[in-house]
């Protein structure tokens, strides 16, 4: 899945979990790639809406995790959510939207890290590239021109 996401392009992936425990790790990692629609929801009426949104997403790949309600019932590790980059493009809202009030700590840590790294990048890089700055100047200019959140991947 990670290789496919890094290549980009139009691809829809649906993962169905019929029994627990259900791991959200693959979909959480998919949020680290730029322009990927990601969702983790329970099978049922709401799943149809999420699948339609994923199918209509033209900005890149989409990854949807559908879990049987019995597989995640009472599971404190489960957070239903959607991550739609179109929200940032349209009105500057957060791409991440939890479907409930409880957000898994790993997801909250990812969102906090993304916000922190974006803030650091915006403050650390010059708004105007220096004359003859080369690739560093191009990077600074690209970040200055970016009108949405930039996710920085690291290992």
């Amino acid at each position: 899945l990670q290789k496919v996401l890094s290549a980009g392009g139009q691809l829809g992936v649906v993962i169905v979990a019929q029994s627990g425990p259900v791991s959200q790790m693959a979909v959480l990692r998919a949020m680290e790639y730029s322009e990927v629609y990601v969702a983790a929801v329970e099978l049922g009426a709401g799943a149809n809406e999420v699948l339609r949104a994923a199918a209509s997403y033209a900005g890149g790949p989409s990854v949807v995790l559908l879990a049987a309600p019995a597989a995640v019932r009472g599971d404190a590790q489960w957070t239903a959510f959607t991550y739609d980059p179109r929200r940032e493009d349209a009105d500057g809202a957060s791409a991440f939207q939890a479907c409930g009030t409880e957000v898994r700590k790993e997801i909250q840590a990812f969102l906090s890290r993304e916000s922190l790294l974006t803030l650091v990048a915006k403050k650390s890089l010059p708004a105007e590239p220096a004359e003859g700055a080369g690739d560093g100047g191009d990077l600074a200019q690209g970040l200055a021109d970016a009108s949405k959140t930039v996710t920085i991947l690291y290992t």
Side-chain angles (χ1 to χ4, degrees):
L1 181 61
Q2 304 307 316
K3 275 185 164 182
V4 170
L5 292 175
S6 64
Q10 294 301 114
L11 174 72
V13 177
V14 177
I15 304 164
V16 180
Q18 291 292 332
S19 61
V22 177
S23 172
Q24 292 179 291
M25 194 53 65
V27 293
L28 293 176
R29 286 189 168 167
M31 290 191 318
E32 292 183 333
Y33 293 87
S34 176
E35 302 302 322
V36 176
Y37 178 92
V38 181
V41 295
E42 291 182 31
L43 285 166
N48 292 333
E49 181 182 329
V50 168
L51 288 171
R52 277 193 290 278
S56 70
Y57 183 66
S62 59
V63 179
V64 177
L65 171 60
L66 299 175
V72 294
R73 187 173 298 122
D75 185 353
Q77 295 296 310
W78 173 259
T79 299
F81 70 90
T82 59
Y83 184 85
D84 190 345
R86 292 176 289 198
R87 286 189 204 112
E88 289 180 336
D89 294 339
D91 58 7
S94 174
F96 178 85
Q97 187 172 59
C99 298
T101 57
E102 296 293 318
V103 177
R104 185 177 161 187
K105 67 180 178 179
E106 291 86 355
I107 295 173
Q108 191 58 52
F110 169 81
L111 296 170
S112 297
R113 183 189 72 193
E114 179 182 42
S115 297
L116 177 64
L117 290 173
T118 301
L119 179 64
V120 168
K122 286 180 179 178
K123 287 187 173 192
S124 299
L125 293 170
E128 296 294 324
E131 196 66 33
D135 290 340
D138 293 342
L139 175 61
Q141 184 61 47
L143 286 173
D145 291 342
S147 62
K148 61 181 180 171
T149 302
V150 176
T151 301
I152 301 171
L153 299 175
Y154 64 93
T155 57

